[in-house]
């Protein structure tokens, strides 16, 4: 791995600095206790950008707070998200996790927006999220707010099916230094070192994480004489830094920076395919990745209800992975002398392929919240963004391809009386590759009392094509002269945004206290103009001998889907010691999803209902046994759903931890057992997730 010496030289001294820092101040001394009262649950910001009680939000929302995150024993954010009603999580390899809402996803999950402290982290190239590449340490996460449904009115295109906002902890809410070491099956290793402190007006946190594992074990499938063994090991080093500065009575500044470097295993070591094609076409190789970001926020409190915000962010990521296939004669299992007959003008040789890309994003946003009257609040803002991708291997040109984006958004909350709340919002968005679109939302909430409410809403959202969908041009090349041998991905360009209209009838409320709340909704989602990769044999040119053998994936609009169902989310604190969480989603689906175009141009259409599970369920029981002992049990079930293959699976996890004191230092020892009920697969049948045990020790220094 070419970047690993840089990791060692850069991050090893960082560990020494962290450990030598003085003990951090106490929260009481910090003076930050009154900074962020609106971010305390159950008040949320993600839905409209206005602080709202859960009874008043115009969309369904699930909040996973810090105690729930700890209770899961999760090793990553996607594991935590299984608690959310309607969310499905799959593994397109140990290095790539898929998080989608109501199905309809390939390995990039382009229809779900992911934010960290309001900053979009989806990749411009592919349009999805590389979860393990994010410079984010799970222990720094305060809560996760998930808008279950489109929210383009607040966060623009790509906030299409759901919005996941990961909120990190304010530095005034944590103090001290701590180290966490975690080990598990499949050679899983994770080390986290954090330091948090300040002087009353200025707080800081710096976190370092190292994580590595060997990936999935080889898999024997029926009627295969060899195992599938992917090269899917991974190694990641991350650094994340945040500082919060109270510049005066009215001004608050936050700056955070992060970087991650790592290695990702790609390709196959052995293959269960009868002809061994996966190994011959994509033998094992290692890809390198790196990612950096900077995010600056300025909040000016104009009054108790008026606020002005500025957000400026920069992000850069890079992926480097080149490889060569086996010889053509080995791929097709023929004598080398046959190759010139199959492919005129081509000698027996290896082919080369690359998935190198570099991308940048610059973003600036202004937001203003105003209380016009006691019964009328509004928030409005403007945003400008520039995305750039450089990838000769993926888009067929060495020149940078850029996209400019401009947004104007606004939202009004009108309190008609004690019983009714009206939410009206809209966003106008224009990009340099698509037409201007308008995303509206209207919602009316009726409060039965101070604990229970009903909501009816309509919203419309769009998803712009990712760079790969709009400009794809990925091929295998001859190693002898560099000429194109086989087209793998191709886009005709000129794609239009996907469109979605969503209708909801919801009921939400509290059960005795704000710590216990529920959300129930009936929903209908109408998705149109969907962008689908179609396997088209006609793009196997320039070599006709590949027709019927190798087909290219092309991207086009046209598919449609209607999803109708109901959903239930519950968090209930049954006692001071016990919390129950439950999520359930049921869906009926109809529509058209094209899959393949044969040489005679007839089109094969698959059953779109296969791509949306009829139901998804999650349950968690968390209990404090006293004397520092806490345990939890989780159960997840996903009915039959197609990612790359069709699967149906259940997961059961158990966790037990003990907090204790050693020489005046707080410590925690825990063990978590994941997938204890069965081995299963989700995205590929080539990736079987087996039962695993994880143990950790955390010590405050």
């Amino acid at each position: 791995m070419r970047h690993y010496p840089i990791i060692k030289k850069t991050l090893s001294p960082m560990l020494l600095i962290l450990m030598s820092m003085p003990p951090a101040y106490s929260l009481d001394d910090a003076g930050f206790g009154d900074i962020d009262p609106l971010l305390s649950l159950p008040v949320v910001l993600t839905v409209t950008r206005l602080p709202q009680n859960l009874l008043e939000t115009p969309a369904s929302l699930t909040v996973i707070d810090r105690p729930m995150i700890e209770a899961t024993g999760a090793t990553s954010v996607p594991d935590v998200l299984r608690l959310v009603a309607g969310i499905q999580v799959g593994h397109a390899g140990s290095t790539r996790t898929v998080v989608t809402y109501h199905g309809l996803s390939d390995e990039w999950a382009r229809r779900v927006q992911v934010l960290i402290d309001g900053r979009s982290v989806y990749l411009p190239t592919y349009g999805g999220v590389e979860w393990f590449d994010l410079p984010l340490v799970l222990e720094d996460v305060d809560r996760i707010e998930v808008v279950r449904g489109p929210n383009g009115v607040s966060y623009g295109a790509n906030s299409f099916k759901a919005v996941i906002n990961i909120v990190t902890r304010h530095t005034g809410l944590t103090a001290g230094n701590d180290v966490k070491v975690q080990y598990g099956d499949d050679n899983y290793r994770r080390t986290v070192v954090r330091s948090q402190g300040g002087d009353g007006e200025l707080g800081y946190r710096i976190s370092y994480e190292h994580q590595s594992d060997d990936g999935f074990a080889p898999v024997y499938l029926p009627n295969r004489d060899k195992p599938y063994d992917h090269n899917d090991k991974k190694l990641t080093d991350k650094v994340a830094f945040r500082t919060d500065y109270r510049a005066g009575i009215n001004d608050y500044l936050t700056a955070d920076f992060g970087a991650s470097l790592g290695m990702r295993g790609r390709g196959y070591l052995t293959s269960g395919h009868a002809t061994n094609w996966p190994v011959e076409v994509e033998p094992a190789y290692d890809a390198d990745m790196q990612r950096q970001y900077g995010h600056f926020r300025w909040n000016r409190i104009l009054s108790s209800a008026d606020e002005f915000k500025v957000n400026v962010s920069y992000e850069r990521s890079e992926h480097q992975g080149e490889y060569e296939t086996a010889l053509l004669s080995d791929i097709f299992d023929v004598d080398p002398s046959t190759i010139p007959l199959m492919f005129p003008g081509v000698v027996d040789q290896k082919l080369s392929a690359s998935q190198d890309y570099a991308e940048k994003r610059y973003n600036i946003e202004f937001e203003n919240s105003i209380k016009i009257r006691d019964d009328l609040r509004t928030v409005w803002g403007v945003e400008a963004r520039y995305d750039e991708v450089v990838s000769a291997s993926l888009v067929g040109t060495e020149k940078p391809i850029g996209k400019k984006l401009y947004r104007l958004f606004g939202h009004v909350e009108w309190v008609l009386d004690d019983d009714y709340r009206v939410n009206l919002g809209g966003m106008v968005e224009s990009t340099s590759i698509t037409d201007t679109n308008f995303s509206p939302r209207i919602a009316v909430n009726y409060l039965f009392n101070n604990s229970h409410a009903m909501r009816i809403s309509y919203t419309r959202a769009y998803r712009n094509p990712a760079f790969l969908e709009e400009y794809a041009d990925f091929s295998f090349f001859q190693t002898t002269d560099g000429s194109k041998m086989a087209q793998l991905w191709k886009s005709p360009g000129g794609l239009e945004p996907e469109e979605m209209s969503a209708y909801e009838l919801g009921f939400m409320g509290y059960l005795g206290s704000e710590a216990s709340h529920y959300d129930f909704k009936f929903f209908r989602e109408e998705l149109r103009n969907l962008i689908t990769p179609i396997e088209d044999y006609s793009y196997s040119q320039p070599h006709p001998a590949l027709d019927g053998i190798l087909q290219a994936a092309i991207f086009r609009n046209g598919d449609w889907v209607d999803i109708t169902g109901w959903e239930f989310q519950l968090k209930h604190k049954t006692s001071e010691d016990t919390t129950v969480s439950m999520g359930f989603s049921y869906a009926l689906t109809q529509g058209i999803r094209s899959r393949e175009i044969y040489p005679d141009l007839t089109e094969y259409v698959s059953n779109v209902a296969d791509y949306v599970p009829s139901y998804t369920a999650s349950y968690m029981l968390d209990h404090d046994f006293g004397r520092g002992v806490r345990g939890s049990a989780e159960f997840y079930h996903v009915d039959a759903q197609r990612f790359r293959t069709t699967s149906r699976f259940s997961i059961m996890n158990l966790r037990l931890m003990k907090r204790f004191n050693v020489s005046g230092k707080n410590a925690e020892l825990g063990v978590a057992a994941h997938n204890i009920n069965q081995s299963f697969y989700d995205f590929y049948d080539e990736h079987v997730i087996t039962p695993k045990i994880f143990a950790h020790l955390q010590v405050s220094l």
Side-chain angles (χ1 to χ4, degrees):
M1 177 182 148
R2 63 176 69 94
H3 294 304
Y4 195 68
I6 300 176
I7 297 174
K8 298 279 287 185
K9 292 180 181 179
T10 304
L11 300 184
S12 295
M14 192 77 69
L15 293 176
L16 298 177
I17 295 173
L18 291 180
M19 301 305 295
S20 64
M21 285 183 174
Y25 61 91
S26 70
L27 182 59
D28 292 338
D29 295 335
F32 286 119
D34 58 347
I35 276 187
D36 242 356
L38 294 178
L39 294 185
S40 301
L41 294 178
V43 174
V44 294
L45 293 167
T46 301
V47 180
T48 64
R49 297 177 180 249
L50 287 172
Q52 291 179 308
N53 186 284
L54 290 173
L55 297 182
E56 301 171 336
T57 60
S60 298
L61 185 77
T62 298
V63 179
I64 304 175
D65 57 19
R66 185 69 216 171
M68 291 179 69
I69 295 173
E70 294 175 351
T72 64
T75 58
S76 67
V77 171
D79 287 340
V80 177
L81 292 172
R82 293 186 191 274
L83 291 173
V84 180
I87 288 280
Q88 294 87 41
V89 178
H91 298 82
S94 74
T95 63
R96 183 167 296 150
T97 303
V98 181
V99 177
T100 186
Y101 179 69
H102 293 169
L104 293 177
S105 177
D106 60 12
E107 61 187 278
W108 292 103
R110 298 179 182 91
R111 299 182 178 107
V112 174
Q113 176 69 277
V114 179
L115 312 169
I116 299 179
D117 295 321
R119 172 179 58 90
S120 176
V121 295
Y122 76 92
L123 296 172
T125 302
Y126 287 95
V129 176
E130 286 277 27
W131 290 94
F132 289 104
D133 295 354
L134 296 178
L136 175 72
V137 178
L138 187 59
E139 285 73 12
D140 292 341
V141 176
D142 181 64
R143 69 188 184 279
I144 303 172
E145 298 182 0
V146 182
V147 180
R148 306 192 326 270
N151 200 22
V153 62
S154 294
Y155 296 100
N158 307 312
S159 304
F160 193 66
K161 298 190 68 180
V163 177
I164 300 169
N165 188 19
I166 303 167
V167 182
T168 61
R169 308 188 77 180
H170 191 286
T171 56
L173 301 177
T174 56
N177 308 317
D178 58 80
V179 176
K180 183 175 183 178
V181 180
Q182 196 168 20
Y183 293 90
D185 290 327
D186 297 329
N187 203 27
Y188 178 86
R189 301 289 185 270
R190 182 171 182 261
T191 302
V192 176
V193 182
R194 301 192 305 155
S195 181
Q196 303 142 109
D199 60 5
E201 297 296 332
L202 178 67
Y204 72 86
R205 177 177 63 245
I206 184 167
S207 304
Y208 165 78
E209 176 188 280
H210 170 85
Q211 182 177 335
S212 63
D213 64 60
D214 290 341
F216 297 124
V219 177
Y220 284 90
L221 299 176
N223 303 319
R224 309 286 176 89
D225 57 350
K226 296 179 181 179
Y228 270 108
D229 190 2
H230 287 254
N231 177 38
D232 54 1
K233 60 187 176 182
K234 62 178 177 288
L235 179 152
T236 305
D237 286 271
K238 303 177 181 179
V239 170
F241 174 79
R242 171 170 171 162
T243 180
D244 294 281
Y245 177 54
R246 186 172 186 173
I249 297 177
N250 298 323
D251 294 297
Y252 303 93
L253 306 177
T254 298
D256 53 288
F257 310 91
S260 62
L261 297 169
M263 177 275 295
R264 302 287 181 261
R266 303 283 192 237
Y268 291 78
L269 297 167
T270 61
S271 168
H273 194 285
T275 61
N276 210 36
W277 263 36
V279 174
E280 306 291 4
V281 174
E282 190 178 6
Y285 68 99
D286 292 340
D288 297 335
M289 58 69 53
Q290 56 178 309
R291 189 165 186 169
Q292 308 92 33
Y293 81 92
H295 189 193
F296 173 79
R297 287 166 282 171
W298 169 38
N299 288 26
R300 162 156 281 198
I301 309 299
L302 303 174
S303 68
S304 60
D306 299 341
E307 185 176 6
F308 180 75
K309 299 179 182 179
V310 177
N311 277 276
V312 180
S313 64
Y314 163 78
E315 186 150 358
R316 182 182 185 277
S317 60
E318 183 177 343
H319 181 279
Q320 295 177 318
E322 304 94 15
Y323 64 94
E324 291 185 350
T325 69
L327 292 169
L328 287 171
S329 57
D330 292 331
I331 293 176
F332 292 98
D333 194 22
V334 298
D335 188 271
S337 62
T338 307
I339 295 301
L341 300 177
M342 296 176 60
F343 308 103
V346 177
V347 299
D348 190 26
Q349 60 182 293
K350 296 180 178 181
L351 304 179
S352 64
S354 169
Q355 294 196 33
D356 292 354
Y357 63 84
E359 52 191 5
K360 299 178 182 178
R361 170 173 293 152
Y362 304 87
N363 199 86
I364 184 168
E365 179 185 78
F366 301 89
E367 179 184 321
N368 188 201
S369 302
I370 304 171
K371 185 176 182 180
I372 300 173
R373 304 190 307 251
D374 288 344
D375 61 345
L376 192 64
R377 294 189 301 162
T378 184
V379 58
W380 71 275
V382 294
E383 180 179 0
R385 175 181 298 174
Y386 177 73
D387 289 341
E388 180 183 280
V389 170
V390 179
S391 178
S393 60
L394 296 181
V395 298
T397 177
E398 296 181 354
K399 297 180 180 180
I401 299 177
K403 180 177 74 173
K404 298 176 182 178
L405 178 149
Y406 303 98
R407 291 171 175 164
L408 172 65
F409 59 89
H411 182 87
V412 175
E413 181 194 66
W414 184 17
V415 179
L416 294 180
D417 54 34
D418 291 340
D419 298 331
Y420 287 95
R421 307 288 186 271
V422 177
N423 284 273
L424 298 172
M427 175 173 287
V428 178
E429 182 174 71
S430 177
T431 78
S432 55
I433 65 173
T434 59
D435 295 332
T436 299
N437 294 309
F438 175 63
S439 297
R441 176 169 58 203
I442 179 170
V444 178
N445 291 35
Y446 175 73
L447 279 62
F448 297 106
N449 50 44
N450 291 331
S451 299
H452 304 280
M454 178 182 76
R455 173 186 63 247
I456 184 169
S457 69
Y458 163 79
T459 187
R460 187 171 182 82
Y462 296 86
R463 184 185 76 83
N464 290 325
F467 279 86
L468 185 66
E469 293 171 310
E470 179 68 17
Y471 301 107
D473 189 358
F474 174 53
S475 302
F476 278 134
F477 291 88
Q478 298 184 46
T479 55
T480 55
D481 60 11
S483 62
K484 183 180 293 188
M485 180 67 184
Q487 189 82 50
L488 297 182
W489 300 338
K490 184 67 177 178
S491 176
L495 294 173
E496 299 177 359
E498 297 181 340
E499 304 174 10
M500 179 178 181
S501 295
Y503 308 83
E504 286 188 11
L505 173 62
F507 301 87
M508 53 280 187
Y510 300 103
L511 303 173
S513 72
E514 293 180 343
S516 298
H517 46 82
Y518 70 89
D519 181 290
F520 178 88
K521 73 171 183 178
F522 296 101
F523 65 87
R524 180 173 174 81
E525 300 170 344
E526 299 175 351
L527 295 83
R528 298 294 183 267
N529 221 26
L530 297 184
I531 301 171
T532 305
I534 309 297
E535 295 175 348
D536 190 340
Y537 285 89
S538 64
Y539 277 88
S540 61
Q541 305 290 339
H543 293 284
L546 293 173
D547 285 348
I549 298 175
L550 182 66
Q551 63 271 29
I554 67 170
F555 296 90
R556 71 172 192 182
N557 294 104
D559 294 354
W560 65 272
V561 178
D562 290 338
I563 306 174
T564 305
W566 59 272
E567 206 161 84
F568 179 66
Q569 187 82 57
L570 169 71
K571 179 185 177 183
H572 183 38
K573 196 170 183 64
T574 60
S575 69
E576 287 297 321
D577 302 323
T578 305
T579 301
V580 175
S581 173
M582 182 175 70
F584 189 88
S585 180
Y586 177 78
L588 293 173
T589 309
Q590 62 178 353
I592 294 177
R593 183 180 175 96
S594 305
R595 297 298 301 164
E596 201 166 68
I597 299 177
Y598 289 99
D600 62 0
L601 298 183
T602 60
E603 184 176 291
Y604 166 68
V605 179
S606 67
N607 183 2
V608 72
D610 294 344
Y611 295 85
V612 180
S614 59
Y615 69 92
T616 304
S618 68
Y619 310 89
M620 185 178 75
L621 174 65
D622 179 38
H623 183 70
D624 189 337
F625 295 95
R627 298 179 179 244
V629 178
R630 183 180 175 189
S632 65
E634 306 157 66
F635 177 79
Y636 311 101
H637 179 78
V638 179
D639 197 30
Q641 175 192 8
R642 180 171 181 142
F643 279 117
R644 182 66 62 87
T645 53
T646 301
S647 63
R648 176 191 287 111
F649 58 90
S650 299
I651 305 172
M652 181 174 288
N653 299 337
L654 298 176
R655 178 178 184 263
L656 189 66
M657 54 80 64
K658 165 72 175 176
R659 290 193 172 100
F660 55 96
N661 190 280
V662 178
S663 301
K665 305 293 185 183
N666 293 325
E668 178 183 294
L669 181 64
V671 60
H674 290 184
N675 321 317
I676 63 172
N677 57 315
Q678 67 172 146
S679 296
F680 67 96
Y681 65 87
D682 41 41
F683 193 93
Y684 286 121
D685 58 359
E686 303 168 14
H687 296 316
V688 172
I689 297 100
T690 56
K692 293 180 176 63
I693 301 293
F694 300 92
H696 77 266
L697 175 64
Q698 182 170 341
V699 180
S700 299
L701 304 177

